[in-house]
Amino acid sequence: PADRWQTADELKGQLELVATPQTGGITPTSTQPVSAVSASNIAAKHHPVRIAALFGVAAAATLGLAYGLMIALGLPSWVFLGAVILLAIGLPIMLVTSQHEKQRAVGMTTGLQTSTPVGLKKHFTWRKAIGGGGAAFAGLAVVAGGFMGMRTLGIGPVGTLVAAGVLDQRDHLLVAEFEDRTGGGDLATSVTQALSIDLAQSPVIRLIDSRAVTQALRRMNRDPESTIDETLAREIAEREGVKAVVVGDIGSLGSGYVVAARLISTATGGELVQLRETAADDTQLIDAVDRLSAKLRERIGESLKTIRKNDRLERVTTASLPALRKYSQGVRAFDAGDYDRAIQLLEEATEIDTTFAMAYRKLAAALNNTNAPQSREVAAAAAAYRHRERLPDLERYLATAYYYSNVEFDPAEVRSSYLNAIDIDPENLTALNNLALGLNRLGEWAEAETYALRAADVSPVGPPFENAVGAQVALGAFDRADSTVAMFNRLAPDNPTAVLLVVALDAARRDFAKAEQGFMEFREQFSSLPAYRAIATASLFAMYQVQGKLSNMLQEARAYQRDVDNPARAGEYVRQAVYTAYVDVYHRNDPETARARVDAALERYPLDTMEPVDRPYTLLADFYATADDPERAKGLLREYEREIDPALRRRNLDDLEWARGLIALAERRYPEAITQFQMSLATDHCRDCGAFALALAYEEAGQIDSAIVEYERTANRQFLYNYFEESTSLPLTYRRLGTLYEQKGNVAEAVKYYDAFVDLWKDADPELQPQVAEIRNRIAGLVGETR
C-alpha cells in the first residue's frame, strides 16, 4: 500500500527526509509528495495525549531516580523539588515542540515547502528540547554537588559547624529552657523537651544529661530544680566543657506560633546558628519543632540521610497539650534513667488527661523498673488497657501487649500484639524492645537478641541494650555481649545502664571481687538516682553474700531496709528481711533466728496492711518451708489463692508451683517435690535458676546421678543478673558437688568443685572460715598434700 514502508532502504530514506532541518529550509526536488507516510499517521504520532503519556513515563523514572539518590546519598530535599520543577517546565516545552515538528513533517509529506523556522519556533526542535532538558538536569546535579561539597568542607553559609571545625563529632550540647512569649505558662517547657528528645537521636552530637546538670547545679550551690535559662546554661556549659548551648523562644503569630532557636558559643556568646519555624495552631506545634530540629542537626553537620531516618518524635494520642508536655518530659527522664522523676511527670500527665493510655503504659513501665509495689504497676497497665479502644492501632497494640505481659499473663497475646505493632511501624522502639524482653523471659534467646539489637539501632537508650546483652550472655556469647556494651558506652557514656552493664558482665563471669568494686563505684557515681542506688545496694548485698562476707552483707541489708522502711514500700521491706534470713538458714544452720527476723518484719508491716497484690505470699511460703515451718507456708498459700485474682496468679504460676515443691521437700515427700519443681521450671524463663532445689530433692530421694546433673546446671548456668539468685546457692552447690563426687570416688571432679568453693570463700568472714578449713582438709586428704 502507498501509506506503508516496504523496505529498510525506503524507511531510511523517509527518516532522512523528515529529519528536523539544521540550517535553511527544506525544498523538495519535485512537485510531487516525497513521503509515503500519511499526514494522518504523523498527526497521531504527535498527538498531545501520546506525547504527555510518554513524558509521564520518563518523568516518573527520573523522579524515582532523583528520590533514590536523595535518600541514598543524603542530598538536600530541594534536589527532588528541583527535579519536579524542571519536569513541570519541560512538559509544555515538549508539547509545543511536538506541534512544531508535526507541522514540518506534514508539510514535507504534502510536498509543500517548509520555510526556515524563525523567532521562537527555531528553538522548538526535538534535539534542542531533549538537549536542553539534559543540560538543565546536569546543572541541577552540578549545583547539588557544589552544595554538598561546600557543606562537607565547611565553606560559606551552607558549611556545617563540624566541617568548619567549630564543633567536633560527638561534642556535647546543652539545651536551655526556651522563653515563653505567648503568655501560655508552660508551653515553652513542652517545646524544650520535644526539641531535646529529637536532638538526642543525633549521632553527631550528644546532649548533656539531666544528672550532669543536677550535679553541676549542686556544685554551684544552686537549687537542682532551677530553670536553666540562657545565662545559667552558659555558666553550666563553661563548667562542664560544653562548647555550645541551644536557646530559643516561642511566641504568638496570629492564632499560631513561631518557634525560634539559636546555637550560641559558650566561649564567646556569639550566635553560630539562628533558625525559626511557624505552626498554625497547637496541633502543628510538634511538627514545627521537628522541622526546627532537623535544620539545626543539618547545620551542625549531621547527614541528611540520618536526619530523615530519625526525624519523627514519638507520637501519642491525647487531646490535652499540657498532658502531652508532661508526657514528653517524663519520656526524657525515663530515657535518661531518672525513673523517679519520670514516674512523677507521667502521673501528672494522667491527672491532666485521665484517659491518656500511653502515659499510663509508660508509667507502668517506669514503676516496673523501680521495683515499685506491684499494685501500682497493675493499676497503671490496666488503665492503659481500659482506654485502648479510643487509640489508633499502633498504640492499642502496645497497651494490649503490656497488659498481657504484666497483668493477665498471656505470652501468645504479648507476642502477637507486639508483632502487629512492628508490622505497622518497623522501627517502633517500644514494640521492638518489649518483644525482646518477653522473648528473654520465655528463654528464646536468639530471637530476643535480634529484636533487642533492632531496638538499639533505633535509639541508644538503656533497655534495648540491656535486653540484647541479657540474651547474649544466656547464649554464652560473651564476646558479642562485650561488643554490645562497648557500643552502648560509645553512644551514651553518661547513661547509668551503660555503666551498670559493664559491672554486671563481670558478675556474670563470676569475677565477684571485681564486680564488688564496680558496684561500689557505680553507687557513688549515681547516688542522686534512687532507682540505680537501690540496684547497686541490692547487687552489693549479693556480691558480699556469695563471697561469704556476711558482716558487709548485713550492713547493706540494713541500709536498704532503711530506704524502704515506710508503708508505701512495706512489701519490699519484708522481702529484704527474707533475703537476709536465708543466710541464717543456709550458712549458719539457724532456722530459728531466720524465722525471728522475718516475724519481726511482719510484725512491723503485717500483710493485711498491704494491698493484696503487694503481699509477698509465695516468697514467704518459700522461706517458711525452707526454715522448717511447712504448716505456716501452706497457710500462706491458702491465703494467696483466696486473696489474689486468678488472672494475676497466672503471672506467678511458676512461683506457686515452686513454693509447693519446697513444702513437699520440707515434709520429705521427695517424689512430689521433684514433680512440683519440674512443673515450675517448665513455666519459668530461667529454666536453670531453680536447679539447686531440684538437685537437693533428687539427693534426698537417693537419686544421686540426677542430683549431680542438676547441681552442675546450677554451677554452669550463665545469666546476666544471675548473681541475685546464686548468691545463696552457688557456695552450697560447689560443696554438694564436691561431696557427691567424693562419695562416687571421682577425685578429679571432687577436687575441682572443692577448689571452686575455697576460692569463692577465701575472703569469707571469720565465722565461716571453719567451713573453708574443713574443705581444705578434704582436698588435702584427696590429693595427699596440704593446701
Side-chain angles (χ1 to χ4, degrees):
D3 61 347
R4 299 279 303 273
W5 292 315
Q6 301 299 315
T7 68
D9 289 340
E10 290 175 356
L11 174 60
K12 180 179 178 182
Q14 300 312 313
L15 291 174
E16 291 173 349
L17 285 171
V18 300
T20 300
Q22 301 304 305
T23 59
I26 297 177
T27 304
T29 56
S30 74
T31 59
Q32 298 302 316
V34 297
S35 174
V37 180
S38 69
S40 61
N41 279 354
I42 293 174
K45 290 178 181 179
H46 290 79
H47 194 282
V49 174
R50 181 173 182 272
I51 297 300
L54 292 173
F55 184 86
V57 172
T62 302
L63 290 177
L65 177 62
Y67 185 80
L69 290 173
M70 182 185 74
I71 297 300
L73 302 179
L75 300 176
S77 300
W78 54 257
V79 171
F80 183 77
L81 179 61
V84 172
I85 292 173
L86 291 178
L87 290 169
I89 294 172
L91 177 59
I93 291 175
M94 297 300 283
L95 292 174
V96 172
T97 298
S98 173
Q99 292 306 304
H100 286 305
E101 291 283 21
K102 181 184 73 172
Q103 291 171 6
R104 283 195 287 273
V106 170
M108 292 191 309
T109 65
T110 60
L112 300 176
Q113 289 187 333
T114 302
S115 61
T116 302
V118 295
L120 289 176
K121 289 185 177 182
K122 67 182 180 182
H123 298 293
F124 291 99
T125 68
W126 286 129
R127 178 171 295 182
K128 290 184 177 180
I130 295 172
F137 275 96
L140 178 63
V142 170
V143 172
F147 174 89
M148 295 300 290
M150 294 174 66
R151 185 175 186 274
T152 302
L153 297 174
I155 300 172
V158 300
T160 70
L161 299 177
V162 170
V166 177
L167 296 176
D168 294 326
Q169 288 274 357
R170 304 299 293 161
D171 261 348
H172 279 96
L173 297 183
L174 174 60
V175 179
E177 185 77 18
F178 274 42
E179 183 179 352
D180 196 329
R181 301 181 186 277
T182 68
D186 60 350
L187 191 60
T189 300
S190 177
V191 171
T192 305
Q193 299 299 330
L195 181 66
S196 298
I197 292 169
D198 198 47
L199 289 177
Q201 300 180 56
S202 173
V204 175
I205 53 95
R206 294 176 292 171
L207 296 187
I208 184 170
D209 62 29
S210 58
R211 179 188 58 82
V213 172
T214 298
Q215 291 177 349
L217 289 170
R218 285 174 174 160
R219 290 194 296 270
M220 296 162 63
N221 291 323
R222 299 287 293 266
D223 183 356
E225 300 298 322
S226 298
T227 298
I228 311 300
D229 59 16
E230 179 178 342
T231 301
L232 185 54
R234 284 188 58 195
E235 182 177 350
I236 293 172
E238 186 172 358
R239 286 170 173 265
E240 298 298 311
V242 176
K243 291 183 180 179
V245 298
V246 180
V247 301
D249 57 69
I250 176 171
S252 299
L253 184 65
S255 60
Y257 302 97
V258 56
V259 185
R262 294 172 292 135
L263 187 64
I264 295 178
S265 168
T266 300
T268 66
E271 290 186 358
L272 303 175
V273 177
Q274 185 173 9
L275 302 165
R276 59 179 284 169
E277 282 291 337
T278 59
D281 52 39
D282 286 354
T283 64
Q284 302 298 313
L285 194 54
I286 296 298
D287 289 332
V289 174
D290 279 357
R291 297 192 299 272
L292 189 69
S293 172
K295 288 181 179 179
L296 181 56
R297 290 162 65 178
E298 178 185 353
R299 287 288 288 116
I300 289 171
E302 184 175 347
S303 164
L304 297 176
K305 181 179 178 180
T306 61
I307 293 173
R308 292 189 184 103
K309 180 180 178 182
N310 298 317
D311 61 356
R312 290 182 56 201
L313 294 174
E314 184 176 0
R315 264 66 166 186
V316 290
T317 301
T318 176
S320 169
L321 184 58
L324 181 59
R325 295 170 192 155
K326 295 292 184 182
Y327 177 86
S328 298
Q329 296 173 53
V331 168
R332 185 184 179 201
F334 186 100
D335 289 343
D338 192 350
Y339 296 125
D340 294 275
R341 175 69 172 157
I343 289 169
Q344 175 189 338
L345 291 165
L346 292 167
E347 285 180 332
E348 291 174 5
T350 59
E351 289 170 0
I352 296 170
D353 179 0
T354 58
T355 65
F356 195 169
M358 286 297 97
Y360 283 119
R361 194 210 64 80
K362 197 71 173 180
L363 173 61
L367 290 166
N368 181 282
N369 286 0
T370 58
N371 204 23
Q374 189 178 350
S375 58
R376 296 178 64 193
E377 180 194 358
V378 167
Y385 184 72
R386 188 165 58 250
H387 296 296
R388 69 192 185 282
E389 295 303 329
R390 59 185 295 273
L391 300 175
D393 288 345
L394 175 61
E395 295 177 36
R396 186 172 68 254
Y397 286 132
L398 295 179
T400 299
Y402 197 92
Y403 178 81
Y404 282 107
S405 176
N406 294 277
V407 183
E408 292 189 44
F409 189 59
D410 187 340
E413 184 65 39
V414 173
R415 185 194 294 253
S416 174
S417 295
Y418 280 135
L419 287 175
N420 286 334
I422 292 169
D423 284 342
I424 296 172
D425 181 3
E427 293 188 347
N428 186 274
L429 176 63
T430 299
L432 290 169
N433 174 72
N434 287 5
L435 178 57
L437 175 62
L439 292 168
N440 269 338
R441 288 175 174 172
L442 295 172
E444 298 178 22
W445 315 113
E447 194 175 0
E449 179 187 11
T450 298
Y451 282 105
L453 290 176
R454 282 179 59 182
D457 283 339
V458 173
S459 181
V461 294
F465 283 93
E466 191 171 17
N467 285 323
V469 173
Q472 290 161 346
V473 170
L475 291 167
F478 276 92
D479 288 345
R480 292 209 302 272
D482 288 334
S483 298
T484 301
V485 171
M487 177 172 63
F488 187 23
N489 274 276
R490 286 195 301 271
L491 295 173
D494 297 322
N495 191 297
T497 303
V499 183
L500 174 64
L501 287 174
V502 174
V503 188
L505 277 180
D506 291 331
R509 287 187 169 97
R510 293 181 173 162
D511 190 345
F512 297 123
K514 184 178 181 181
E516 174 190 326
Q517 182 62 35
F519 283 124
M520 291 175 65
E521 295 172 356
F522 177 83
R523 182 167 61 182
E524 177 65 24
Q525 183 177 355
F526 298 103
S527 59
S528 62
L529 298 177
Y532 286 98
R533 187 175 65 244
I535 290 173
T537 298
S539 298
L540 280 169
F541 178 94
M543 293 301 99
Y544 290 136
Q545 183 178 1
V546 76
Q547 297 177 91
K549 301 178 180 180
L550 301 188
S551 57
N552 289 342
M553 185 210 74
L554 291 172
Q555 182 178 344
E556 296 297 333
R558 286 191 290 269
Y560 188 77
Q561 283 199 287
R562 283 196 298 270
D563 286 345
V564 296
D565 189 3
N566 61 78
R569 303 296 301 275
E572 190 64 19
Y573 182 92
V574 172
R575 286 187 183 89
Q576 186 57 50
V578 171
Y579 300 143
T580 305
Y582 271 124
V583 174
D584 297 311
V585 175
Y586 284 116
H587 300 320
R588 291 173 170 157
N589 194 26
D590 187 359
E592 185 176 350
T593 298
R595 292 195 300 270
R597 285 186 192 274
V598 177
D599 290 345
L602 288 172
E603 184 176 348
R604 182 169 183 80
Y605 292 111
L607 290 179
D608 59 10
T609 64
M610 310 174 199
E611 290 292 327
V613 74
D614 294 333
R615 301 170 190 172
Y617 281 120
T618 57
L619 178 65
L620 287 167
D622 289 351
F623 167 75
Y624 281 111
T626 305
D628 297 339
D629 192 350
E631 289 302 319
R632 180 92 177 264
K634 286 188 283 189
L636 286 162
L637 289 191
R638 287 193 294 270
E639 187 175 339
Y640 171 75
E641 293 179 312
R642 184 173 63 249
E643 294 290 336
I644 305 300
D645 185 273
L648 294 176
R649 293 207 303 266
R650 284 201 297 271
R651 179 182 178 184
N652 301 312
L653 181 61
D654 58 319
D655 293 338
L656 180 60
E657 301 292 351
W658 195 255
R660 288 170 175 162
L662 288 172
I663 291 170
L665 181 61
E667 295 180 338
R668 295 176 173 81
R669 294 180 280 114
Y670 302 126
E672 183 180 341
I674 291 169
T675 299
Q676 292 292 154
F677 290 144
Q678 289 173 335
M679 290 174 60
S680 176
L681 292 173
T683 59
D684 186 1
H685 75 287
C686 181
R687 289 174 173 80
D688 293 337
C689 287
F692 174 78
L694 179 57
L696 190 60
Y698 277 126
E699 184 179 357
E700 294 292 339
Q703 301 180 41
I704 302 304
D705 289 339
S706 295
I708 288 175
V709 169
E710 297 302 329
Y711 280 132
E712 288 194 327
R713 286 175 63 187
T714 301
N716 297 319
R717 67 188 173 207
Q718 294 174 323
F719 295 111
L720 182 59
Y721 296 118
N722 195 40
Y723 55 83
F724 287 115
E725 195 277 338
E726 72 180 9
S727 60
T728 299
S729 64
L730 187 61
L732 302 174
T733 297
Y734 286 155
R735 289 189 61 176
R736 295 311 307 153
L737 278 170
T739 299
L740 294 180
Y741 274 120
E742 183 180 1
Q743 292 172 359
K744 291 175 71 69
N746 190 334
V747 173
E749 289 298 303
V751 170
K752 169 186 168 182
Y753 286 111
Y754 280 150
D755 274 340
F757 172 78
V758 169
D759 184 64
L760 186 62
W761 272 17
K762 61 181 180 295
D763 296 321
D765 282 1
E767 67 173 294
L768 298 181
Q769 285 303 324
Q771 298 181 45
V772 179
E774 177 194 350
I775 299 303
R776 288 183 189 273
N777 289 333
R778 287 193 184 186
I779 294 171
L782 288 170
V783 301
E785 61 183 30
T786 303
R787 298 198 177 192

